[in-house]
Every structure is written in C-alpha cells, then in structure tokens.
Amino acid sequence: MIINIVVCDDDQDFLDNIQKELFHLANTLNIAIETYLYTDGNKVVDLIYNDKEDFDILFLDIDMPDISGLEVAKKLREKNVDSLIIFMTSHSQYVFDVFETVTFDFIQKPLTFEKIKNTLEKTKNYLEIKRRSFVFSYKKNNYNIAFSDICYLEKDGRKVWIYTIDDKKYQCNMTLKEIWSQLDDE
C-alpha cells in the first residue's frame, strides 16, 4: 500500500523534520509513502484543483499567513471528501473549529515522534479498512460496505445504486471515476 501525504506548514525546518519522521515511521510500519511538502496553503489549494492525483492524508498547520489550514481544508472538501485531514497547531483554541471540515485527527504542537507514530498507525489502519470496503456518503450519512457484501452496482446518470447480498439497496451520487478509484482487482 502506498500512502500519498501532503504536509503544509509555513516553517521549512518543521517540514524537513516531519518528512524524516514520516519516512522513518513508514519503514517501521512497513508501508510505502510519498510526501509532498508545502509552505504555502495556496499552493495546496492549486494542487487540489489542478492536479489529477488524490492524496490520502493532508497534515495542515492551522495558523499560516495568507490562507489558514482551515480554509485549505474547506476548499479541499469542495472537491474531495475522501482525503484524511490532520490538523497540527500549537493553538488549542482551534480544536473545535477543525471539525467543520470532517477532520480525521488534531495534533497539538510541538509534535513528538510518538504523536506522529500514533497518527500514522491510525491512518494506516483506517486506509486498510477503507480499501477493503466501498465507502460513500449520501444525504449527510456515511456508509461503509464490505466489497464481499456487494452484488453489483447500477449507474443511472449521476446516481449509483448499490445492491447487497442481504437484499438492501443503497443510493449515492458518484462519477464512474470515483467508483473505479475505490475498486481493487478482486
């Protein structure tokens, strides 16, 4: 499994250090990662809107000049609901604000090896489960259906009907590209 990670913080030394920690932890956890480092949140927004690649995890500093990590996350959610957002900040007063953007985790700075390790383990476990399931949202409800429980999918315009072995039928709105991105060879 390859995990694509974006880290955005206005401190270049911090970025260099967290990248070293992430690669060290990835080796320890036996996972492959690709990291993309940014000091400017606007570049992350450009990446989200102009690049075809999706990212599994975004580590975002909240307090940055020009555009805050919260604003970056809100723009991300307009395009992508699947990426895991992890906020990093030394300002604990933001802890409740981050949940407006469907946040996976909140890490208070200063970051320690143990905090990063716990977060990376948690995201690895979540992504492994997600990649064995069909995950979607419909009318503000989140669903997670095991691939083994799905009989077939029926596409009707933007609507997708998901039929399961227990004779249930679920609806969601997805493109074919979004559907294919979740399916594996099996």
Side-chain angles (χ1 to χ4, degrees), residues 47-158:
L47 181 73
I48 291 164
Y49 279 86
N50 299 321
D51 200 340
K52 300 293 183 219
E53 187 168 358
D54 289 324
F55 298 96
D56 298 305
I57 304 170
L58 282 92
F59 285 90
L60 298 173
D61 183 18
I62 292 178
D63 193 19
M64 294 187 294
D66 297 327
I67 184 170
S68 75
L70 288 169
E71 293 171 90
V72 172
K74 287 176 184 175
K75 291 186 181 296
L76 169 72
R77 288 296 180 234
E78 292 172 4
K79 285 291 267 195
N80 177 323
V81 295
D82 296 324
S83 295
L84 304 179
I85 298 173
I86 300 164
F87 286 105
M88 314 170 294
T89 187
S90 54
H91 305 287
S92 61
Q93 72 266 22
Y94 293 121
V95 72
F96 296 109
D97 296 337
V98 302
F99 293 103
E100 293 175 19
T101 59
V102 188
T103 302
F104 186 77
D105 207 351
F106 179 91
I107 307 173
Q108 192 161 5
K109 290 181 178 178
L111 295 188
T112 63
F113 178 81
E114 213 43 50
K115 288 178 185 177
I116 298 170
K117 179 181 179 215
N118 290 340
T119 299
L120 196 57
E121 284 177 333
K122 202 168 25 171
T123 56
K124 175 189 179 240
N125 293 337
Y126 176 83
L127 290 171
E128 284 175 346
I129 291 167
K130 180 181 168 194
R131 290 177 179 170
R132 290 189 306 246
S133 300
F134 193 76
V135 179
F136 62 96
S137 298
Y138 186 68
K139 293 189 177 182
K140 298 186 180 184
N141 292 311
N142 296 319
Y143 299 90
N144 185 337
I145 302 173
F147 284 127
S148 58
D149 291 342
I150 297 175
C151 293
Y152 65 95
L153 301 160
E154 178 184 359
K155 186 87 168 97
D156 180 21
R158 178 89 172 131

Side-chain angles (χ1 to χ4, degrees), residues 17-59:
N17 289 332
I18 195 169
Q19 183 177 40
K20 287 177 194 170
E21 295 291 339
L22 288 170
F23 278 113
H24 174 72
L25 286 166
N27 288 332
T28 304
L29 298 172
N30 198 28
I31 56 175
I33 65 169
E34 288 187 28
T35 58
Y36 305 84
L37 308 176
Y38 298 93
T39 56
D40 181 354
N42 287 308
K43 291 193 179 188
V44 176
V45 172
D46 288 343
L47 181 73
I48 291 164
Y49 279 86
N50 299 321
D51 200 340
K52 300 293 183 219
E53 187 168 358
D54 289 324
F55 298 96
D56 298 305
I57 304 170
L58 282 92
F59 285 90

